[in-house]
Every structure is written in structure tokens, then in C-alpha cells.
Amino acid sequence: MPASTTVAETRRIAFGMFHRRLVLLALVVLVVVAVLSLQVMRLTVVEGDTRRAIAEASLDRVTYLPTYRGRIIDRRGNVLARDRASYELAISYDVITGDWSRQQARLLARKEAGREPWSRMSRWDRQRLTNQHVATFEAERQQLFTTICLLGDIDRVELDQRLDKIKRRVESMAAIVHDQQRQKAFKAYGGDGSSFKFNPRPIFEQEAAHTVLTNLRDAVALEFNRMARERDGILEVRDTRRREYPWKRVEVEVDRSTLPRPLASNERARLPVVGVADHVLGRVRIGARDEDIRRHPFRDLRDGSVSLAGYRPVGDEVGISGLESAFESHLRGKWGRVIEHVDTGDEDRTTPEPGRDLQITLDLMLQARIQAILDPSIGLTRVQPWHQNPALPVGTALLSSVVVIEVESGEVLALVCKPTMADAELMSDDDVKRTSPWINRATEAVYPPGSIIKPLVLIAAAKDALHDLHDPIECTGHYFAQDKSAARCWIYREKWNMQTHGPLFANEAIAKSCNIFFYTLADRLGIDRLLYWYERFGLGEPLDIGLLAPALYTDDEGKIRERFVGESGGYLPTEAHIQEMADKQYLNFTSVILGIGQGPVTWTPLQAANAYATIARGGVTRDATLIPYAGHREGRSREDIPMSRELTNITLDGLRLAVTEGTGHRIVYGDGDEERILRAPGVSTWAKTGTAQSPPYPLGDVDGDGKIDYSRESVEVIHDLDHSWFVGLVGPRDTDVPMYAIAVIVEYGGSGGRVAGPIADQVIRALQAERYLPDS
């Protein structure tokens, strides 16, 4: 320092240097604080959710407790469906992906090398030592899979497919979560985020175990438990449930002495009945599909939250048909959860919430008895010589269905379909395609009504004051004067010498099933009024007895859409269809034949029985249901059809005459050899038989999709066959009040009286055996 520099100047220079150093230090501190702030922001804002989950996962151990579905119970308290305790096996995700082998190899390599040498090694040296042990652990992993296949009775190809499905699903979930995290990082750092290095963290599913085997037997579960203890963190045996149907198989006694004479004997047959009510109960699928998970996921991908009512992809029960599907939300429960806080030892427990029970109106034993009646081995649903079936060989098995409804309440007591879904398991592929055993013929299959719809036409004409019940209508044999071959009465045939019924009153017309009488009423009504009254009686829309459930399907354009399945409403012509018939000039003919249940009109056996129950109540509407009205549903869904006492009595009298002296009265076996159709003692019956035109009967090949293509030359079919109908009412003889409505359909059976009638007689006897009706 120069000698001329004063003390003050020296101090001023020193202070300036200090000031500059202080500013520099402050800048350094600010830079450090900024860097730390950015790091804090990254850790808390950008990666906060992931790191919080990781931190909580390290401090908390989460276990999910299985729930179980509610039971399905019949009207007498029999448990038709229930969950049973079971076990499932889960495998750690890193074992599934194979990462476990490399992780174990690295741990062993580090142990052999020692901590200090390992820390000084280069990345490449560490990888070289690790690779020396990977094959050993990979062999152990593959041996684990082999043992799982052996104990779990599963093919290795099937196991590999399940593992691949788990990997695809988890990788897809991780990609979504990581993309959301990356977008948060870009937003936090501004710009395009290129200056920020994003390090994705594992999501929950990548650190969890995933179910690969379900419904394990106790002994198998114990062995897997032993393996899990030896391989800590690799395997996990979990408590779970599986669906069972205790009454799936029932043994029923059939009294052969009450069968029609050619089938009768003094023997009592003990018949095993399988698949009792399986169309009604439906089925569950083990393992949710993508559409189930999208609708209600177990874990929300956006925030990681868990819905204990959501679907897990493996091991979860999902209703896919019948009541199991229609009442999925009612029967399904919620998972429980135990969160164990490792640091404190405290435990948070959410108790599983079981599904709710569902009691239905069905009577299991009545259902089983009627199913036994429909079994071809009894003979009533096989073509017999007295059926006079013109084309099908004697002995051909016929498909069938029966519905029984309690008149007063509308409750369905029996809803029987043959074949059952259990029968399908023993069928050939061709028979499955030809018979479609997955269809509930009582509620989903639709048929032309034929003559059984005639009482509805009478009621419609009387209600609209288009027919006076005291006036007769002349049967002329044919309705159109200019064409004697069209719209004829069923007896106006050469084999019966072109007979006619002559003048008939309403009850006589029902009893003798005169076509001309009902052609006349239908013509007076016109197609619009007739269809209106058919709608009033429940045609055209499902009754919604409890089986309607949504289902996804892919339309012709490849779009996924939703429709309701489980019950059909039949078919009535639309306005467009009516206009088309008018344009083609056959509307008048169609309007007429609709009056005898032919032409473009169909309904289900359920709708037929429901309509007759409405008649028995004098027009009071109380639509059929499987769910007791006091529970889940209101007792009325459509307007009443108020019928006068006179109209009700005349209609019922016609139905009574039909089975005591009319078309549903007797079976003729030969000259002078005949037998009454309905012979059950102690009851009164009111019924109508019907013979309705059917589509061609397939004998040959069908398309691979199961739909019959009648245009193909390779498809052999039989034309001009008919379905057999019997629909009626029954009650105790001493009260003469209808108590139950019965509908019977036999596909391609021919005569309603000869084929469906004897089955109805056995249904009445089943009602007597189960104490619904007196038997003397």
C-alpha cells in the first residue's frame, strides 16, 4: 500500500472488498436456495403423489379382506345360490415380470464381493458379476411356475397367458400414471419440460402381488401357504369366495301311471334333474373384464384412490346372466381393508360389507318337478305316434318351456326351460348351435301366439263396443268371398268335407276355436286398434320380471353399444312395417290373420301366462314378477283393463268349454280310442290350446356363428311344421276360482292339444304335489 494512503482510505477499500465478498456470498446462498427450492418443488409438487405413496407404503402394510355375494333364496327359504369360502394364489409382480431374478442376482453378487469392493467397482463390473447369477435365479423362478402348475392343476400355457395379461394391464396403468406425472412436471417447470429429467416411480400395482389361481382346494392352499413361508414376499395365499348352487342337481320322482295311456306304467321313475333354474339364476364369471373395470374400477388411476366396491381384474365375481347379472349391484358386496402402520403398530380396519340377499318368488321343488316332466326320457317331449306330426320322426326330442304364475299376486312360481345350460355341457357343438341352450325359452324366445290369443281379441272387440256379446257370428268356412283358399277356418278342409261351425256365440267360438269368428272381430277392430289392445295386454315390451340386464355388443360399424337382455317383449308391427304392408297391398289380409295370432306378431310364454292371469283377475293388471311385490318393486306397471263381470264370465266359460268339450278336450289314438287330456282330479281348468306356424326346422349344417342360414344348400330343413301351445288357468274345483296361470310351449310339436296338453296336466299334478292345489 502506498505511504500516501490514509487510514480512512484503507478502511474504505477494505469495506468495499468485504461488501463485494458479502454480495458474492449472498448470491451463492440465493443460488443454493433456488436450487433447493426447485428440488423441493420437484419432490413435493411434481413427484409428491408418487413419493407419498412410496413413503406410506414403506410405513403401512395394506391387506384387503374378501367380501361375498348375497344369497339367492326361493319362496320357501331354500338357498339357490351362495358364496363359499375359498382361497386364491397371488404372485409378486417382480416375479411375474422376471425382474426378481436380476434383483436376487445383484444382491448375491454384492454379498460375495463385499460392501467396500462393491462400492469401488464400476457399473460394468457390477453388471458382469450380477449376470453370473441371473441364470440360477431364473431357473428357480421357472421351477416355481412349474410347481404352481402342478399343484394348481393348470396348463403352463394357460398360466403364461394369465401372467402376460397381468403384465399388459399393469404396464398400461403405469403408462397412464407416468404420463400424468410427466405432464405435471412440464407444467411446473414451464416450456416443454425438456430441461427436466423425469424419473418415473413404480405404481402400486408394480409393487403388489397379483392373483393367478382361484378356487383352490384346502389341501392345495395349505401347500401353497408352506411355499409362501419359505419364499417370503414371492407368493401370497388369500382368503376369498366362490359361487355355488346347492340345488343345481335334484332327484325327482315321476308317477308314470298318470301319463297318457301309451306312456303310462305302474312304475315310479326317480329322475336326476340337473341345472334346476339355471337360466333364472344365471352365472358369475371369475375375474372382471376391461368393461367391468372401466365401469367401476377398484383403483382410480388418476389419484390412486381405492373403491372397495370396485372390480379387481382377477379373482372377482361378476354376474353375467340371469338374476346374477340383473341384480349385480344388489348381490355384490364391498371389500374390507386392514392398514397396519408399521412405525406405530396401530391398525385401521374397514370391515367387509357383504352383498344383500335376494329372495325370489320361484319354488325350487315345483321348478324341479316340472323340469323332470319336460325331460325327453319321460316321453312327453318326444314325437309320439298319436301326435300325428307330419314330418319329424317318432322319438325326436322336442324343446320346450313352462311358466306358472300365481293369479292373485302375479308372482312367478316356475320358469322352466329345456334344455338347461347344464344340458349344454353334454351336447355336441352342432346340437348347441341348433338348440341354443343358452336362451331362456320362457322369457327370451318369441313365438307366434296362434289360437291362444283369441280370448284377447274378444275382449278388445267387446271393450271397444264392436261386438255385442249376445250376437252370434256365422262361420262360413272362409273369410274373403272372392278367395276361398285364404283366411279359412281350420275345419274348412277337404279331409273334413269343407265343414263350417255355423253361427257361434263368443264362448262357443273360443271353445271351438273358430277362425272366422275372430277374423271378423279383427277386421272390425282394424290393425291399429288391435295392436293397441295387444299392447294393453303386455305384448311389444318386456314385462321386466327381474331378469332384464344391460349387456355390451359391437354393432355393424364396430361401435360398442349397450342393450338389455334376459327378457324379450315379442314383436308387434311398427308404423313403418304397417305402411310397407299397405304399399304392397296385403295389409287387409294381415289385419285379419292377426286376429288368430298369425302374421307379424310374437310373444313369449311368460307374456302368454301373464295375459291369461290378467283375464282371470277381470282385467286387473299386476304384471308377473320374480321379486316379491312387498320388497323391490311396485305391484302394478300398466293400466288396468276393466272387464265387466259378463265379459269375464263369458271369456272364462269359453276357456272352460275348450278343455271340457272343445279343441283341448281329448287325445284320439285311433278309431274309437280316445282319452281326456286334462285328468288331474280335484281341480277346475280354463284353457286354450294353439297350433302356431313355426320357422323351418333345421336338420343339417349351420353357420359357424350358430345362426341358421336357410339359403345355404348344405342346410337341410323341414317346412310346414307348427309349435304346440297350451295356455290356461287352474283352481280348486270346490271354489271354481282360477288360482294359477300356466303356459306351455313345445317347439315343432304340432297339435297343441295332443302335445302341450298332456304336459299341462302334469304341471297341474306338480302343483298338487307341492300343495298349491288339492288333489281330490
Side-chain angles (χ1 to χ4, degrees), residues 542-597:
L543 295 175
D544 190 10
I545 64 171
L547 293 177
L548 278 176
L552 299 178
Y553 72 100
T554 304
D555 64 13
D556 295 337
E557 298 177 356
K559 296 180 180 179
I560 297 178
R561 300 188 181 276
E562 184 180 78
R563 64 184 172 190
F564 281 85
V565 298
E567 189 181 335
S568 173
Y571 178 78
L572 293 176
T574 62
E575 291 185 7
H577 192 177
I578 293 172
Q579 185 60 50
E580 179 185 356
M581 291 186 287
D583 294 341
K584 295 182 179 179
Q585 298 184 348
Y586 60 87
L587 180 60
N588 190 27
F589 174 76
T590 301
S591 300
V592 167
I593 65 170
L594 279 172
I596 65 166

Side-chain angles (χ1 to χ4, degrees), residues 401-403 441-442 445-453 596-598 601-610 612 659 663-664 677 687-694 722-728 742-760:
S401 179
V402 171
V403 177
R441 284 174 159 75
V446 295
Y447 308 91
S451 294
I452 61 174
I453 209 168
I596 65 166
Q598 299 292 358
V601 56
T602 60
W603 65 354
T604 66
L606 173 69
Q607 289 172 306
N610 186 72
Y612 273 56
V659 292
T663 54
I677 293 175
K688 186 78 184 71
T689 59
T691 304
Q693 294 177 357
S694 66
D722 298 303
H723 293 322
S724 307
W725 275 108
F726 178 103
V727 184
I742 299 170
V744 179
I745 181 75
V746 181
E747 294 183 10
Y748 304 103
S751 165
R754 290 189 293 267
V755 181
I759 294 174

Side-chain angles (χ1 to χ4, degrees), residues 351-362:
T351 304
E353 183 179 320
R356 290 172 288 172
D357 289 348
L358 178 67
Q359 183 154 25
I360 61 175
T361 63
L362 216 64

